[in-house]
Structures are given as structure tokens and as C-alpha cells.
Amino acid sequence: MRIRVRYAPSPTGHLHIGGARTALFNWLFARQSGGQMVLRIEDTDRSREVAGAEGKMVDALRWLGLDWDEGPDIGGKFGPYRSMERLDLYRSLVNRLLEDGRAYPCYCTPEELEAEREEMRRRGVMPRYSGRCRHLTAAERRRFAAEGRPFTVRFRVPEGQTVSFDDLVHGTVSFETNGIGDFVIVKSDGIPTYNFAVAVDDHLMQISHVIRGEEHLSNTAIQLLVYDALGFTPPRFAHVPLILNESGKKLSKRDESVVQFVEQYRDLGYVPEAVVNYLALLGWSPVGEREFLSLEELVQEFSLDRVGKSGAVFDPVKMRWLNAHYMRGRSDEELLKLCLPHLVAAGLLSDPPSAEDLEWARRAVELYRDQLEYAAQLPELAGWLKSLPDPDPEGERILEDPSARRAADAFYQEVSALSEWTPDGIHAAFKRVQKTTGLRGRQLFMPIRVAVTGRTHGPELPKVLDLLGREVVLGRLREYAGRSRTVPREN
């Protein structure tokens, strides 16, 4: 079998991590088998369409390193690749179903349908269409048409049957047709519904495997009915597990406590290989439970039989951890390029940055590269280099200790007389303070760190002080002197 898969998003917003994972699994399956990947835009839901969403989704997919063999931007022999450009294809097949009695016009108004559903809910019955228009006589249909009454087209679901399919993740899945109800395949505006259009498109584009989220399992039963009515051979199906939040519930796009869109990760300064690596591990596991896999390694190892059935919990902490690993593998220049826009946006650098700004940013990146989880974090980590923050309560307690005042006094005297302001020279000054005061370890280093940085933790202190520069360090020690009256003021 020639492998052909597709990723078919609706242009209703940004590329969600769930959609990105679906695209990735399809891409990996195609590339591993030497098959083809199709990008198709399912834009039949006009009310939810967002201007510019398609272009942003395409950009996000390309940022992840994914490509496709056919699509709206590059064409292909099975196009067009936007649903709204395929209306004539749908219309001819709808007419065939109408002629065969497998579909019928439904003249029920929205108010009538809602009343039906409400009555079923009142009786404790799962709401579904009652089929009231499937038995209209030809005369009744002609009368409604003559009145100009709007209508949809419904698929006539056969009664008393079981729809079964062998899912490549979940095994045999079955649905009873009596629980489905006659579903709409064409809306009153003449545009086909998702379940009809997707079945037609997958057949006409010769899609061999449909890999998508578990939430589409019930849609598969509906689509299989359409396949059967049109005499089409269905593709194989694989429904990957839901993405869950840390409470074990389905991750909601409205949950703003979790970064959920690929564009957001790009804008925060994540690197694409980390995002891809993490998405691949959401519901799939490699042999040997490896954590770090490149796109090339994922292609070699990916298989649907290692996709799990249970939901995959999205862990933002692990996402950051993975990204930090990949960032440490970037050169200083690559990290600088990632971080510069965020430093400028935070007002820490001029726009455009001067040569002096660039040198400062380069050294800041070098200082924090081992702590950096994503590029947008650097202004928060390094902001104190430009403006001294107030110490937290722990820092205040450290500065109030009498030994802190002694350490600051001695350190000020040593570094103010340094001939060379370098990390080695500053380290040697600490050694001399240690010898003259008898202070060592936390008692020596912590007061200096808090007085000069406002923080109790950070990178290696001599490197921090070297980056700050002599005048800034001495100035901040003098500021501490104004509070402690220990370090002498300059006249």
C-alpha cells in the first residue's frame, strides 16, 4: 500500500500543541515509510474562521521543521486543497446520495430542532434527530420548496446496524447506528459539514491512513457510513490519546495557565527541536524510554504500535527542561540571536542595540546559559544587572547580620584597589578578604551577592561582578554603606 497521510486543520486560530502533535505523528509516519504528507485546509466552518490563521499555521508548522508534499501553498495533482474550493466535488456526490435515497432534505427550523432536543433531555434520552423529515412525501417537499423554506441535507442512517473498525491504536471500536441519528451533510447555506467533506476528501486524495486525535472516534463511525453509501473504501484509522492537564482532565484551550500554542513557544524563545521532541513524547514512547531525540531519530524510531491508549499529561516543567537541554547545545552566538529581541523588548538594550549593548548581551548570555530555560527568561534573570532590585526578606536578614557589614567593608577596600578588573582578580580579592577577616563560605560571599545583586542565588559571583563593572559594583556597595554605615562613603 502506498502510504498517504494528511494533516487537515481548520483555520480558526493559532496552531495548538494538540494539532501540532497530530501533524508531527502524520509526518513521522509518512517520512519513515517513504510515503507522502498532504496539508489540507478544512475551511467549511465559516463562522469560526479567523483571518490570517491559515498563514500563521503554515508558518508554525514550518518553524517546527515539518514539510508536506502537497498542499494549498505548493499544489499537487489531488487539489484543490481547501475545502471551500471543492464545493462542486461535494455537490455532485450529495446529489448522488439524494437520488439513491441515502440522503434527504430536512426543513426543520432551528427552533423545532431545539424543542426536540429539549424534550429528549427531559425524558433522559440522549438528544438526536428524530427523523421527522425523512418520511416527508414528495408533495410535502415540493410545498416546502415552493415556500422557499431553508433546508439542510441529512444522511439517512440505517437502523439496527453496528459500525465497526479496527483502530491502529485502540483495536476494534464499534458504534450502534441506532444511537447516531440522521446527521446533516449539507448546511442550509449549501456548504457541506465536516464529516461529509472529510470523508470525500480523504477518498479522492487517496489517503491511506488517517491519524488524528481520540476525540474524533465517534466521527469515524459517521464517516464510515458515508464511505459505505458512496461505495468508497475507507482508509485505516489511528486515534492518538487526548492531551490532559496536570489534573488528568482534557486540556482546555481556554486554560491560560498553560502555554498551548506553537506560536507562543516560538515567541518565548523556545527552540523548535525541543518543542518537536516534547510533542513526540506526548502519547508515544521510543524503545528504551529515551528522552532526547532529534527529528531524524524520531523518523527512524516512530511506530504507531508504541502510541498509548491512555491520555498524555502535558507537563510544562518537562517542556522547559527539554528546551534548556537543547539551548545548552546552541552556540553563544545562536543564543544571543534568540535573546536579543527579548532584551530589547524589556528595555535593557537600545533599539537597535549599540556595539556596547551587544557586548553586554553577549556576556549576559554567557553568564546565564546554564540556567536559561527559554530566551524570554533572560531579561528576568539578568535585569538586575541594569537596575538593582530590593532584596527579598532572606536577603534583608543576611545584610543585617554584623558579619555582613564586616565582609562588605573589607571587600570594598580590596576591589577598589584592584589593578585589573577580571574574574580572576575579583576571586583573588575574595581570598584576601577571607584571610584578613576570617570569614569564609556563605558568611563571606552571600552578603556581597545580596548587596550587589539583590539576590541570594545566581551564577558564579566573580563573573557576575566582572560583568557589572567596577563602578557599578562599588556604587552598589556604597549604597549598602548608606544603610549599614560600615563601608566608607566617597567624599
Side-chain angles (χ1 to χ4, degrees), residues 417-436:
L418 278 180
S419 58
E420 290 188 14
W421 191 265
T422 63
D424 288 342
I426 295 168
H427 181 74
F430 273 115
K431 288 287 189 183
R432 290 192 291 273
V433 171
Q434 180 178 316
K435 185 176 292 186
T436 58

Side-chain angles (χ1 to χ4, degrees), residues 24-231:
L24 174 62
F25 281 12
N26 276 280
W27 187 88
L28 292 172
F29 187 73
R31 294 297 175 252
Q32 185 186 71
S33 63
Q36 294 175 310
M37 170 82 166
V38 176
L39 176 66
R40 188 174 74 225
I41 304 299
E42 293 177 351
D43 56 353
T44 57
D45 192 347
R46 309 300 281 177
S47 64
R48 295 178 59 232
E49 186 169 340
V50 174
E54 178 186 325
K56 290 180 179 179
M57 283 183 171
V58 167
D59 290 344
L61 289 169
R62 293 201 186 282
W63 179 75
L64 291 172
L66 306 184
D67 60 358
W68 40 92
D69 304 291
E70 302 168 28
D73 55 336
I74 58 176
K77 65 179 182 178
F78 294 98
Y81 294 93
R82 294 186 184 90
S83 298
M84 289 301 292
E85 297 172 5
R86 301 171 62 81
L87 295 181
D88 288 343
L89 295 170
Y90 307 136
R91 194 172 294 116
S92 64
L93 293 170
V94 169
N95 289 336
R96 186 205 299 181
L97 293 177
L98 287 167
E99 292 167 3
D100 292 344
R102 303 298 297 268
Y104 59 90
C106 173
Y107 295 93
C108 295
T109 66
E111 293 76 18
E112 290 170 335
L113 293 172
E114 180 54 36
E116 266 194 0
R117 288 190 291 267
E118 184 57 36
E119 173 61 18
M120 290 181 180
R121 283 191 287 263
R122 190 186 63 78
R123 300 200 321 263
V125 177
M126 180 67 70
R128 66 184 182 92
Y129 182 60
S130 65
R132 62 194 293 178
C133 283
R134 68 152 59 192
H135 304 299
L136 291 177
T137 65
E140 288 173 320
R141 288 175 182 166
R142 285 195 298 270
R143 177 165 58 83
F144 285 142
E147 293 173 359
R149 196 171 204 183
F151 67 93
T152 60
V153 177
R154 288 186 181 272
F155 184 91
R156 190 185 299 270
V157 176
E159 297 177 353
Q161 294 186 15
T162 300
V163 179
S164 297
F165 61 97
D166 181 27
D167 189 86
L168 295 171
V169 173
H170 295 272
T172 300
V173 180
S174 299
F175 292 89
E176 300 301 321
T177 58
N178 287 354
I180 295 176
D182 292 353
F183 52 89
V184 175
I185 59 174
V186 180
K187 293 173 283 189
S188 59
D189 58 6
I191 297 175
T193 59
Y194 163 79
N195 277 316
F196 182 75
V198 72
V200 170
D201 290 343
D202 284 343
H203 172 75
L204 296 181
M205 292 182 182
Q206 298 182 10
I207 300 302
S208 65
H209 292 74
V210 171
I211 304 171
R212 58 188 179 189
E214 182 182 317
E215 64 271 22
H216 286 287
L217 270 171
S218 58
N219 285 332
T220 303
I222 293 173
Q223 291 159 24
L224 286 170
L225 291 171
V226 173
Y227 276 106
D228 181 66
L230 292 172

Side-chain angles (χ1 to χ4, degrees), residues 455-469:
R455 300 186 173 205
T456 55
H457 303 284
E460 190 177 339
L461 192 52
K463 291 183 177 179
V464 169
L465 302 184
D466 176 51
L467 177 56
L468 279 171

Side-chain angles (χ1 to χ4, degrees), residues 236-393:
R236 300 294 308 276
F237 291 94
H239 290 86
V240 300
L242 296 174
I243 298 178
L244 310 177
N245 62 22
E246 292 178 289
S247 300
K249 297 180 180 178
K250 183 180 178 182
L251 189 62
S252 168
K253 291 182 181 180
R254 293 184 294 275
D255 183 358
E256 296 183 358
S257 67
V258 180
V259 179
Q260 296 191 43
F261 299 97
V262 171
E263 191 175 330
Q264 290 176 296
Y265 283 104
R266 182 185 63 194
D267 292 345
L268 284 169
Y270 280 68
V271 294
E273 55 266 42
V275 179
V276 164
N277 192 158
Y278 185 71
L279 292 179
L281 298 176
L282 278 177
W284 172 83
S285 59
V287 175
E289 304 296 327
R290 295 168 59 196
E291 297 276 23
F292 305 111
L293 296 104
S294 67
L295 201 54
E296 294 75 19
E297 290 170 324
L298 287 169
V299 169
Q300 293 173 5
E301 296 210 21
F302 184 79
S303 63
L304 289 173
D305 60 7
R306 295 192 65 83
V307 174
K309 295 182 177 66
S310 57
V313 176
F314 184 80
D315 183 354
V317 174
K318 185 170 182 180
M319 174 74 120
R320 293 197 300 271
W321 173 75
L322 269 173
N323 195 68
H325 167 82
Y326 280 99
M327 290 192 74
R328 285 193 292 272
R330 295 288 182 98
S331 69
D332 286 344
E333 288 304 313
E334 289 172 321
L335 285 182
L336 177 61
K337 186 176 180 181
L338 278 172
C339 293
L340 276 178
H342 303 285
L343 294 170
V344 170
L348 298 178
L349 305 180
S350 59
D351 187 12
S354 64
E356 183 180 351
D357 282 338
L358 290 173
E359 176 59 20
W360 180 89
R362 183 190 65 76
R363 295 179 67 189
V365 166
E366 183 180 345
L367 187 65
Y368 278 104
R369 66 173 298 124
D370 290 338
Q371 292 178 251
L372 206 57
E373 294 179 316
Y374 53 94
Q377 207 177 32
L378 187 59
E380 178 187 349
L381 290 172
W384 60 267
L385 291 165
K386 295 282 188 176
S387 177
L388 179 64
D390 292 329
D392 61 18

Side-chain angles (χ1 to χ4, degrees), residues 363 384-386 388 408 411-418 421-422 426 429-430 447-453 461-481 487-488 490:
R363 295 179 67 189
W384 60 267
L385 291 165
K386 295 282 188 176
L388 179 64
F411 185 72
Y412 183 94
Q413 301 300 334
E414 284 290 344
V415 294
S416 61
L418 278 180
W421 191 265
T422 63
I426 295 168
F430 273 115
I448 308 304
R449 182 181 292 278
V450 176
V452 176
T453 73
L461 192 52
K463 291 183 177 179
V464 169
L465 302 184
D466 176 51
L467 177 56
L468 279 171
R470 184 197 305 268
E471 293 308 314
V472 171
V473 171
L474 294 179
R476 291 183 179 183
L477 287 172
R478 285 195 296 273
E479 185 178 338
Y480 173 50
V487 180
E490 281 194 344

